[in-house]
Amino acid sequence: MTEPKKLTTIQAIILFIALILTLFPIFWIVMTAIKPPTDWNASPAIWIPSEPTLVNFMTLFDPDAIRAYGVGGVSQAATSAVIGSIIASVTATIFSVAIGLFSAIGISRYAKNSKWTPLVILSGRMFLPAAIAVPFVIIFSNIGLTDTYTGLIAIYVAITLPFSTWMLKSFVDDLPREIEEAAMIDGRSRLMAHITVTIPLIKGGLFATTMFIFILNWSEFLFALVLSYSNINTIPVQLAKYVTATAGTLYGVQAALAVLAMLPLIVVGYYIQSHLARGMTFGAIKQ
Amino acid sequence: MRQHDQGKVQTTLRRFDEGKLSRRKFLRDMSILGVSAFVANAVSLSPLGAVKAFAAIHGAEERAWDLAKAAAAKAEKKTLTLLIPTGSIGNMTPYVEKWKNELGITLEFIEEPDEVVHTKGMQEAVARTGTYDVMMPTAMSYPDWIDAGVIYDLTEWTEQHDPELFHPEWGVVFPASHHAQLYNGRVAGLLNDGDQITLLCRSDHLDNPDKAKTFEDAHGYKLDVPHTWKEYYNLAKFMHNPSEGFYGSLEYRSPYYVKWMFMQRLISKGRLYFDNELNPTFNSDEGIAALEDMLAMNEFLHPDAFSFTWSSNYNAFGRGEGFMNIVWPSGYKYSKAPSTGPATTGKIRATVMPADTLADGTLLYAGLFCWGYGYAVSRYSANPELAYAYAQWMTSPTISADAIPYLGGYSDPYRRNHMLAPTQRLVDTYSVEYLQTLYDNMVNTVPDFCLPGGFEYQDALDREVNACMTGSKRPKQALDDAARAFERITRRVGREKVLKSWLALSKNLADPIRKASGADKW
């Protein structure tokens, strides 16, 4: 094992700048989330609030909380948006990764003569979402899926499945097929060989893919916006609604919801960070 | 209007007619009963007698309520769902209980970001979910929505139930009464928001004797609110003091908003957007001059002018970072309230938009009616009559006067009585002077692109004006490119359709603007 090289001064500076650029938006969102309304849009900008407050977080679940600062107009709690995001994102991620996993195994192990299949699957992701949103609205309204979680989950699965398939295919490709054959020689069926051997061996990629797909679903805006009326709501759509006639854009409340939305990603990301680099590069870094 | 005992009001009216109440006591009693100051005052002065006058002013409200009662009684669906822009609910929530308690109708609000409301309406045209009963778009949405079949033509209902849109004393102010409610002469929606831009100045700086003397010495006329665009420029330059964080003006240069600054200047020069054959006319000498005026002003603008949204603009002015601002009436409300305008409360003087000098030397005052929400009725509503009744009730002279001052809504004055016979609450919210300014400005307003494809025209113009302001295109090039984009939109939407709508729109403009633009001869 080789010793890591020391950073040169130039490399250290570049790394430092990259770090600042990466962390600044997070810093700013967190600071805005604990600023009172007077500080949200102050000029010159207030970097660190002199009187930090949790009122923005409280407003997410009690719209009247912000009135303590003379700001009104928030008409609904963010509870339904948080629950809606969890329902839609978690369910869609499970379906997307599950279907993508078996597609990946199928393509990697059994589709030797259809070299176009992976590309055709990926082409489903090459449409601009805005271009397919309205046709989906028409189709969904005809079959009663607008404004339902079933409809939203279905479309989330449809738009993330190409990613999950491609990401997982790279991990399955990377796994010598002889290992599965050995399991079959030991008496396991093809399916059981994949379940007991293939899947455990690519669990790192599976975690990374799940995380990636979850992030896509968690932050999706357009389809949630066009398919929602009154029954479904998600965090990105709710974020766009924090505008009031009396106070304009409620930056602090938006930031509070954004912080809340980041938390699950940070927690999960922390636990699977060792798998992320490999997963996020679509398996480009081979073992 | 707050809930009041109808019987007690009738008794008070009768007693006043019988001479048993003094005018002072009558006004006080009516006030106690929740009748607005405007209504009580008009009734007390009416030659018809109090009972008849009260019935006349309350007519639109009462007729709407009767219709609502009848429609609610036979409605199987006891919910009325409203598609509204986020931030507008404050004008509607005070009446939710009344509708629930007296009609058994639950008002359910679906809030969408304001820029999404038009899209949601067009989406409903294909999805036909029937989710919405009442929809609250801007006037620009009506043509596309009517053509797409998503909203009702309200003409027959308005003829039957008379919302008194054009009443000489409490009708919607002309020409907004026409361009913000009608499409090809038919009623498409009922206006509930008098969006127009006016000019705000900091009165404490205007009243400063040292500044007054310096200004007068330099320019040869008194320091005052600007009456012309030239004076506006002079004032911005004079007051501009960036070292103190105080800027000449806060007018918008940001994408989405900058088109309105151009459109305002263009119409001040007597130019409309098209000629009588729908050829774009803004890429003319007047249009170029308008852009050059804007470029010259850039030097004296707030540094955030290129990124302002309506709310960040209001915030900056309220913090005292500029001398002038071009804003919607909500901006005045915002700057007047101590909580949102700590540096401007009590220090604002407003005026109509500055005039420009025409070739013949006359001054043309033209205002811009931009945005402006209204109520439309969805064709897929389960209870369209109830939805219409809601729209008429909310926009009636009496209820609207009560609704506008509530905080947390976009509704601004739009009927004559809101501005010329305001209730005390309207006065407290806006001030008598500003309400008069709104009226004076509104009578000369030219609308947005309230045409089929209106949003597309606006976006195309906005992109090019913004490109010019950011220096990537010269004025002539930007406007020629916008004109080409307009031609493409016209071809796609349908020339005959847009032309018909444009001619109908331009027929109902103030006479000086029609004359200056030549539209009086179309």
Side-chain angles (χ1 to χ4, degrees):
Chain A
M1 194 171 170
T2 53
E3 283 287 310
K5 286 180 184 174
K6 279 192 174 177
L7 289 174
T8 64
T9 310
I10 296 290
Q11 286 171 328
I13 290 170
I14 291 171
L15 200 59
F16 181 72
I17 291 170
L19 204 60
I20 296 291
L21 289 175
T22 307
L23 292 180
F24 179 75
I26 296 170
F27 164 79
W28 192 252
I29 286 171
V30 174
M31 287 300 110
T32 305
I34 57 170
K35 283 177 187 173
T38 45
D39 292 359
W40 291 345
N41 197 27
S43 178
I46 294 171
W47 291 72
I48 296 172
S50 52
E51 293 177 13
T53 174
L54 291 177
V55 74
N56 300 317
F57 290 95
M58 289 156 63
T59 304
L60 294 177
F61 303 102
D62 172 15
D64 286 334
I66 199 80
R67 288 188 190 278
Y69 286 88
V71 177
V74 180
S75 55
Q76 65 180 89
T79 319
S80 67
V82 174
I83 294 171
S85 271
I86 292 170
I87 293 171
S89 302
V90 171
T91 315
T93 302
I94 291 169
F95 276 108
S96 178
V97 173
I99 299 169
L101 175 64
F102 286 102
S103 303
I105 293 172
I107 292 167
S108 179
R109 296 294 189 247
Y110 307 107
K112 284 290 175 201
N113 296 323
S114 31
K115 60 178 181 176
W116 293 104
T117 308
L119 186 66
V120 169
I121 288 175
L122 190 64
S123 69
R125 196 64 192 88
M126 290 173 184
F127 290 105
L128 287 175
I132 56 171
V134 172
F136 265 110
V137 169
I138 299 169
I139 295 166
F140 278 23
S141 21
N142 283 331
I143 56 177
L145 283 181
T146 44
D147 207 22
T148 65
Y149 282 111
T150 309
L152 193 61
I153 290 164
I155 202 153
Y156 279 7
V157 172
I159 59 178
T160 56
L161 192 56
F163 282 130
S164 60
T165 305
W166 265 69
M167 285 180 75
L168 289 167
K169 177 182 170 295
S170 73
F171 291 105
V172 180
D173 284 344
D174 203 24
L175 194 72
R177 63 174 62 219
E178 288 76 9
I179 300 175
E180 295 156 5
E181 287 166 0
M184 283 188 269
I185 290 167
D186 285 347
R188 290 197 175 95
S189 65
R190 281 176 186 270
L191 180 62
M192 285 310 292
H194 291 312
I195 291 172
T196 58
V197 176
T198 317
I199 294 174
L201 286 173
I202 61 161
K203 70 177 181 195
L206 206 53
F207 279 136
T209 306
T210 304
M211 179 72 177
F212 184 67
I213 299 301
F214 181 71
I215 292 170
L216 287 181
N217 289 331
W218 189 248
S219 54
E220 201 285 327
F221 174 69
L222 184 69
F223 286 105
L225 182 72
V226 299
L227 291 175
S228 66
Y229 289 82
S230 55
N231 293 327
I232 62 173
N233 195 11
T234 65
I235 289 172
V237 174
Q238 182 67 27
L239 280 171
K241 293 182 177 177
Y242 282 122
V243 180
T244 77
T246 40
T249 307
L250 301 178
Y251 296 107
V253 186
Q254 278 185 331
L257 187 54
V259 168
L260 213 63
M262 281 194 302
L263 284 179
L265 305 180
I266 291 171
V267 172
V268 178
Y270 175 79
Y271 284 108
I272 66 164
Q273 58 182 313
S274 58
H275 305 295
L276 272 181
R278 186 159 176 268
M280 291 299 180
T281 52
F282 286 63
I285 303 166
K286 307 290 183 188
Q287 285 180 330
Chain B
M1 179 187 285
R2 297 176 198 92
Q3 291 179 35
H4 57 266
D5 186 326
Q6 196 69 27
K8 285 181 183 171
V9 170
Q10 294 300 335
T11 305
T12 308
L13 292 166
R14 267 199 309 278
R15 291 186 67 210
F16 183 68
D17 276 346
E18 290 162 7
K20 291 177 181 169
L21 284 181
S22 68
R23 185 169 176 273
R24 176 181 289 185
K25 186 157 186 343
F26 173 75
L27 292 175
R28 198 197 65 189
D29 287 0
M30 292 291 266
S31 166
I32 291 168
L33 290 167
V35 177
S36 74
F38 153 69
V39 176
N41 196 42
V43 164
S44 71
L45 297 172
S46 171
L48 299 171
V51 173
K52 281 186 180 173
F54 185 81
I57 296 171
H58 265 264
E61 174 194 339
E62 302 286 354
R63 286 188 294 277
W65 194 248
D66 288 344
L67 176 64
K69 272 198 277 195
K74 64 183 178 191
E76 289 181 12
K77 182 185 158 212
K78 296 292 184 186
T79 302
L80 203 61
T81 307
L82 296 95
L83 167 66
I84 62 169
T86 309
S88 64
I89 201 167
N91 297 128
M92 291 161 249
T93 42
Y95 311 99
V96 169
E97 288 302 309
K98 182 177 172 68
W99 277 68
K100 180 71 188 166
N101 296 337
E102 296 182 30
L103 297 177
I105 296 297
T106 303
L107 298 178
E108 183 190 6
F109 300 97
I110 299 180
E111 294 180 273
E112 297 289 352
D114 55 1
E115 65 271 25
V116 172
V117 170
H118 178 75
T119 313
K120 277 284 183 182
M122 293 305 287
Q123 187 181 311
E124 180 66 0
V126 289
R128 301 179 184 184
T129 63
T131 304
Y132 311 124
D133 297 296
V134 181
M135 299 157 88
M136 189 177 156
T138 71
M140 264 198 304
S141 287
Y142 296 141
D144 286 336
W145 284 15
I146 286 272
D147 289 343
V150 72
I151 56 170
Y152 277 99
D153 174 336
L154 303 181
T155 310
E156 284 180 19
W157 273 319
T158 58
E159 285 170 357
Q160 197 177 341
H161 304 290
D162 191 11
E164 300 184 4
L165 301 177
F166 312 110
H167 192 281
E169 285 177 68
W170 50 79
V172 178
V173 177
F174 179 86
S177 56
H178 288 61
H179 59 60
Q181 301 188 113
L182 307 185
Y183 173 47
N184 291 341
R186 309 281 294 177
V187 181
L190 303 185
L191 186 69
N192 68 13
D193 173 27
D195 264 343
Q196 52 175 326
I197 48 174
T198 57
L199 181 63
L200 309 188
C201 298
R202 283 282 296 272
S203 60
D204 49 336
H205 290 263
L206 288 175
D207 296 338
N208 181 317
D210 295 337
K211 286 188 177 175
K213 184 173 185 324
T214 313
F215 184 87
E216 192 169 352
D217 290 347
H219 293 93
Y221 59 90
K222 285 193 181 305
L223 181 63
D224 194 4
V225 293
H227 302 101
T228 64
W229 285 105
K230 176 69 184 159
E231 290 179 10
Y232 171 77
Y233 174 87
N234 288 343
L235 259 176
K237 187 176 178 182
F238 178 75
M239 294 290 180
H240 190 62
N241 188 0
S243 60
E244 297 288 324
F246 192 75
Y247 306 94
S249 178
L250 276 69
E251 70 165 288
Y252 297 92
R253 289 293 181 270
S254 40
Y256 195 71
Y257 294 85
V258 71
K259 65 194 168 222
W260 285 312
M261 300 300 107
F262 170 73
M263 288 157 68
Q264 170 62 65
R265 281 180 169 82
L266 183 77
I267 59 173
S268 294
K269 292 178 187 298
R271 274 283 180 187
L272 298 177
Y273 319 128
F274 300 100
D275 65 13
N276 59 340
E277 292 175 340
L278 211 65
N279 300 307
T281 50
F282 49 77
N283 54 338
S284 56
D285 290 345
E286 289 87 350
I288 293 165
L291 282 184
E292 284 171 349
D293 286 354
M294 290 170 70
L295 287 168
M297 266 301 294
N298 286 352
E299 194 181 340
F300 311 117
L301 296 184
H302 191 286
D304 293 344
F306 282 79
S307 60
F308 273 147
T309 61
W310 69 262
S311 63
S312 59
N313 168 288
Y314 290 7
N315 283 335
F317 191 64
R319 287 193 304 260
E321 294 171 13
F323 172 70
M324 285 185 287
N325 204 5
I326 295 174
V327 291
W328 287 268
S330 56
Y332 181 88
K333 223 172 10 177
Y334 200 95
S335 315
K336 184 175 181 287
S339 57
T340 46
T344 49
T345 179
K347 298 173 185 168
I348 315 165
R349 199 176 303 163
T351 180
V352 299
M353 292 307 293
D356 217 325
T357 309
L358 301 181
D360 64 4
T362 58
L363 287 178
L364 179 68
Y365 284 93
L368 186 67
F369 191 92
C370 37
W371 218 235
Y373 289 106
Y375 291 119
V377 177
S378 170
R379 270 201 168 271
Y380 307 107
S381 164
N383 295 313
E385 280 200 325
L386 185 63
Y388 170 77
Y390 178 84
Q392 173 164 332
W393 190 78
M394 281 297 292
T395 60
S396 63
T398 43
I399 296 296
S400 60
D402 188 68
I404 290 170
Y406 282 111
L407 293 175
Y410 294 132
S411 196
D412 284 311
Y414 53 94
R415 283 185 177 266
R416 282 175 63 94
N417 62 295
H418 300 161
M419 302 172 211
L420 301 182
T423 63
Q424 189 57 47
R425 290 176 61 235
L426 277 164
V427 170
D428 293 343
T429 308
Y430 296 94
S431 84
V432 171
E433 295 78 16
Y434 186 61
L435 290 167
Q436 182 66 49
T437 301
L438 283 179
Y439 180 79
D440 294 342
N441 196 69
M442 201 164 185
V443 294
N444 286 319
T445 46
V446 173
D448 269 325
F449 289 86
C450 298
L451 306 166
F455 280 96
E456 292 181 66
Y457 287 118
Q458 280 216 342
D459 288 346
L461 183 61
D462 194 77
R463 269 194 305 277
E464 298 302 333
V465 173
N466 191 250
C468 178
M469 290 301 113
T470 52
S472 60
K473 287 187 184 179
R474 299 292 307 147
K476 175 71 177 156
Q477 186 197 350
L479 294 179
D480 283 346
D481 288 350
R484 272 190 289 276
F486 271 46
E487 288 293 354
R488 283 194 292 274
I489 295 165
T490 300
R491 276 199 299 274
R492 192 171 61 253
V493 177
R495 180 169 292 274
E496 288 306 312
K497 187 163 77 170
V498 185
L499 179 60
K500 182 183 173 192
S501 175
W502 170 244
L503 293 177
L505 199 72
S506 54
K507 193 173 76 179
N508 290 310
L509 295 173
D511 286 339
I513 295 166
R514 282 167 49 76
K515 184 166 176 279
S517 62
D520 57 336
K521 297 188 178 67
W522 294 358

